Amino acid sequence: MKSWTCIEKCGACCKIDLNSRSNLSDILSKDDINLIKSMTKEDGWCKYFDKKNMKCSIYTSRPHFCRVDKFSKNFKEYKKEGDKFLINCCKEHITAIYGKKSEEMNRFKEGTIKK
Ligand code: SF4
Ligand code: SF4
């Protein structure tokens, strides 16, 4: 079994399109949704994503829904599939932003450890 792990210099999940993430509205409050909207720039990227250094500029105080390791446990799919669900979510995000054969995808695949 593979375990999920986030990689550095990715941020593919920091470009947020609420319309394509319908499962988010099931587990987020109205306040959370409003916060996401206020964080999202016109180009879809979170205003806190530092593109120069490819990292979150408010990492230690980022909202609860950005804390993937804890937040993901709220999804019914996580309860069923565990890390497989998270790995697939990251692959989707990385494919959409950087492409299937990107350096980010290679690094992500290398980071998912076989147990
Ligand atoms: S898409 Fe996945 S690997 Fe990339 S930053 Fe988000 S959680 Fe980490
Ligand atoms: S607050 Fe940080 S982790 Fe959350 S979406 Fe924005 S850049 Fe990404």
Side-chain angles (χ1 to χ4, degrees):
M1 215 176 116
K2 290 181 174 183
S3 63
W4 169 85
T5 186
C6 184
I7 55 165
E8 286 187 354
K9 295 183 184 287
C10 173
C13 56
C14 300
K15 187 172 184 188
I16 309 163
D17 176 8
L18 279 174
N19 296 327
S20 69
R21 299 205 202 171
S22 53
N23 57 352
L24 274 181
S25 50
D26 297 340
I27 57 173
L28 288 177
S29 69
K30 253 191 177 165
D31 286 348
D32 289 334
I33 298 279
N34 287 336
L35 180 58
I36 291 176
K37 286 180 181 166
S38 73
M39 288 162 55
T40 307
K41 297 190 298 183
E42 261 184 33
D43 64 3
W45 283 95
C46 172
K47 65 181 179 185
Y48 299 116
F49 188 64
D50 170 0
K51 279 195 180 169
K52 193 171 162 231
N53 297 302
M54 301 295 282
K55 62 181 190 182
C56 175
S57 61
I58 57 159
Y59 189 74
T60 54
S61 56
R62 68 199 188 286
H64 77 97
F65 46 77
C66 297
R67 296 166 193 264
V68 180
D69 52 339
K70 289 197 181 85
F71 179 65
S72 59
K73 298 195 170 122
N74 297 315
F75 286 95
K76 61 179 187 305
E77 293 93 336
Y78 184 85
K79 288 172 186 138
K80 240 167 64 186
E81 301 172 18
D83 275 14
K84 191 175 166 224
F85 165 65
L86 278 186
I87 290 169
N88 287 338
C89 287
C90 285
K91 282 183 178 171
E92 267 178 41
H93 295 317
I94 294 170
T95 299
I97 303 295
Y98 302 115
K100 244 184 189 163
K101 297 188 175 169
S102 59
E103 180 252 320
E104 288 80 2
M105 182 66 90
N106 290 339
R107 285 196 290 116
F108 180 73
K109 283 182 179 171
E110 279 166 21
T112 53
I113 304 154
K114 274 185 188 144
K115 277 186 189 163

